[in-house]
Amino acid sequence: MKLNKNFNNLTENYLFAEVAERTKKYADAHPDKKIIKLGIGDVTLPLVPAVIKAMHEAVDDMSSSETFKGYGPYEGYSFLRQSIKNYYAGFGVDVEEDEIFVNDGAKSALANILDLFGKDNVVLVTDPVYPVYVDTNVIDGRKVILADATEENGFLPMPDYSVKADIIYICSPNNPTGAAYTEAQLAAWVDYALKCGAVILYDAAYECFIEDETFVRSIFAVEGAKRCAIELCSFSKTAGFTGTRCGYTVVPKGIESDGMNLNKTWFRRQATKFNGVSYIVQKGAAAVYTEEGKAQIKKNIDYYKRNAKLIADCMDRLGIWYTGGKNSPYIWLKCPHGMDSWQFFDYLLNNAQVVGTPGVGFGKNGEGFFRLTAFGSEKLTEEAIARIEKLLSE
């Protein structure tokens, strides 16, 4: 037996595990202190009533032989895929039902999509970066190169034609920085991918937070993107499905390489390795797109947007540089007083009992920066901001 030794090339601790370990250590030593967590991007509002109603009805369907569902389609039920197609049409983007594949969330899809690509591809990611993009490719043994995202470029690096890449990761609005590419900037990346013969893996998990028309909800709004991009999205942040697990991948039928069609190959991969998302969950996901569901979901998104504004306004008052806070649930701030990322983490935890995420955990360019999320409760977010403002104003 031989094991995959690429696992030895991963960093020893997953970022969020380290955050949890340090937080637990402090909590155990200070049981009287109330800790507020604005670190991990998990939602706090419950599933909306329209989703719960649909899932209850789906459970009832499973109790009768006339409506019982066994194995579903590998690519997802038509009722959900058609709803997703109509959702895209609502903001002017045309995708076909047979280009949509339902999955159990963006994180696993981002890893599984790599089955389509050989190990000798060069992967380009931005730094800072969502760790899953890097770790999944390290496990497969691919070479990963970095595009520097810095304060100077607003954490939005642009293509460098002196660099050749085969697989390009773009997340917009970005996790962790909250920065979002304009349509024109995404068009530059599409041009680069087409000229390189590369594919863009476009993570649109936070598209529902976009409110400025300068930005697009899907990379397929950019001309030429359907010849070079795969889009991955999730119901986790849109509809609070972090614990329910559902997402989707859009693989255009027009992307081909080495005599293979990516849409057909992805279907074949799913048929071999995936038995689909449960009927009950898919019925709940479809309810997100009903008129009732959309109205209820908007209230939840607006709730998190208000939290983001609370944090951003606090940074403005303190004169702290940041990105995000608008069109994004994340605020990416420059650590005050020249502190590095983990110093500021410990400083906030020990003096204000507020937990965020150290920027350096997302890459070398994250050193000296820090991420706060808007996914907490409004009351706790207000309390956390008051503590931070008091501490940093002293």
Side-chain angles (χ1 to χ4, degrees):
M1 179 182 68
K2 292 182 172 58
L3 299 181
N4 181 355
K5 292 189 177 180
N6 289 318
F7 277 92
N8 294 329
N9 297 325
L10 296 173
T11 56
E12 185 174 351
N13 281 338
Y14 186 57
L15 168 61
F16 299 109
E18 176 71 14
V19 169
E21 183 179 337
R22 291 196 185 203
T23 303
K24 182 180 184 303
K25 184 177 179 180
Y26 178 86
D28 289 345
H30 303 86
D32 57 320
K33 298 291 186 180
K34 176 184 177 182
I35 297 173
I36 301 176
K37 298 178 181 179
L38 299 182
I40 295 177
D42 195 1
V43 294
T44 51
L45 294 175
L47 298 175
V48 299
V51 170
I52 293 296
K53 180 183 177 184
M55 293 179 76
H56 276 290
E57 290 173 352
V59 169
D60 289 338
D61 287 346
M62 301 300 276
S63 69
S64 167
S65 58
E66 287 76 17
T67 53
F68 173 79
K69 297 291 188 296
Y71 290 125
Y74 302 120
E75 69 273 32
Y77 285 99
S78 180
F79 63 77
L80 176 54
R81 296 159 71 214
Q82 189 63 42
S83 295
I84 295 168
K85 171 182 165 63
N86 293 340
Y87 174 67
Y88 273 81
F91 48 81
V93 172
D94 179 37
V95 297
E96 298 302 317
E97 184 178 329
D98 58 0
E99 295 178 318
I100 299 166
F101 297 82
V102 178
N103 56 50
D104 58 358
K107 185 176 182 179
S108 55
L110 283 160
N112 294 334
I113 200 76
L114 294 175
D115 280 359
L116 298 185
F117 306 106
K119 305 296 189 275
D120 55 350
N121 285 289
V122 176
V123 179
L124 178 66
V125 302
T126 60
D127 177 358
V129 62
Y130 179 44
V132 170
Y133 303 163
V134 175
D135 289 355
T136 50
N137 281 287
V138 169
I139 289 169
D140 281 352
R142 293 187 188 87
K143 179 182 179 181
V144 178
I145 58 176
L146 306 175
D148 287 328
T150 64
E151 182 179 353
E152 288 68 32
N153 61 25
F155 287 93
L156 293 168
M158 297 302 293
D160 178 355
Y161 279 87
S162 69
V163 174
K164 173 69 170 68
D166 304 301
I167 301 171
I168 303 161
Y169 284 82
I170 296 177
C171 179
S172 181
N174 185 265
N175 177 17
T177 70
Y181 282 109
T182 65
E183 183 174 358
Q185 289 172 320
L186 285 177
W189 276 107
V190 168
D191 288 344
Y192 170 76
L194 289 171
K195 288 175 182 176
C196 287
V199 65
I200 294 172
L201 300 182
Y202 188 78
D203 186 346
Y206 304 96
E207 57 83 16
C208 60
F209 287 89
I210 292 176
E211 54 192 43
D212 189 327
E213 293 183 357
T214 308
F215 307 100
V216 292
R217 305 285 289 272
S218 165
I219 197 169
F220 299 129
V222 176
E223 186 175 354
K226 290 196 79 172
R227 291 187 286 125
C228 67
I230 294 173
E231 185 160 293
L232 304 101
C233 201
S234 167
F235 291 93
S236 288
K237 306 306 191 295
T238 302
F241 275 48
T242 51
T244 310
R245 307 312 303 149
C246 193
Y248 58 88
T249 303
V250 181
V251 186
K253 290 181 285 189
I255 307 179
E256 296 189 354
S257 183
D258 287 342
M260 297 173 67
N261 180 280
L262 266 65
N263 178 280
K264 292 180 179 178
T265 306
W266 181 241
F267 177 85
R268 184 67 180 85
R269 185 270 176 204
Q270 293 296 82
T272 301
K273 289 190 173 184
F274 188 59
N275 255 345
V277 176
S278 79
Y279 170 73
I280 297 166
V281 168
Q282 290 192 58
K283 288 293 283 188
V288 170
Y289 299 114
T290 64
E291 290 305 311
E292 182 183 18
K294 286 189 287 188
Q296 293 169 356
I297 293 295
K298 184 179 185 304
K299 288 183 179 179
N300 282 8
I301 297 299
D302 287 345
Y303 179 95
Y304 293 130
K305 285 181 176 179
R306 288 194 298 272
N307 283 349
K309 188 175 187 303
L310 285 172
I311 301 170
D313 287 349
C314 175
M315 297 302 112
D316 287 336
R317 292 191 297 270
L318 291 169
I320 293 175
W321 188 93
Y322 66 93
T323 57
K326 185 179 181 182
N327 302 306
S328 171
Y330 296 120
I331 291 81
W332 178 259
L333 61 104
K334 190 172 185 177
C335 297
H337 310 309
M339 284 185 272
D340 68 32
S341 297
W342 281 110
Q343 283 176 333
F344 188 58
F345 175 90
D346 291 333
Y347 182 70
L348 269 190
L349 178 59
N350 285 287
N351 295 285
Q353 291 75 54
V354 174
V355 175
T357 310
V360 72
F362 298 101
K364 63 179 178 60
N365 289 329
E367 181 59 274
F369 291 87
F370 201 76
R371 192 191 75 174
L372 295 173
T373 85
F375 288 122
S377 73
E378 186 173 21
K379 181 179 178 181
L380 289 178
T381 300
E382 288 175 344
E383 185 177 345
I385 289 309
R387 293 184 191 180
I388 290 172
E389 190 161 11
K390 181 177 183 297
L391 175 64
L392 297 182
S393 297
E394 292 175 349

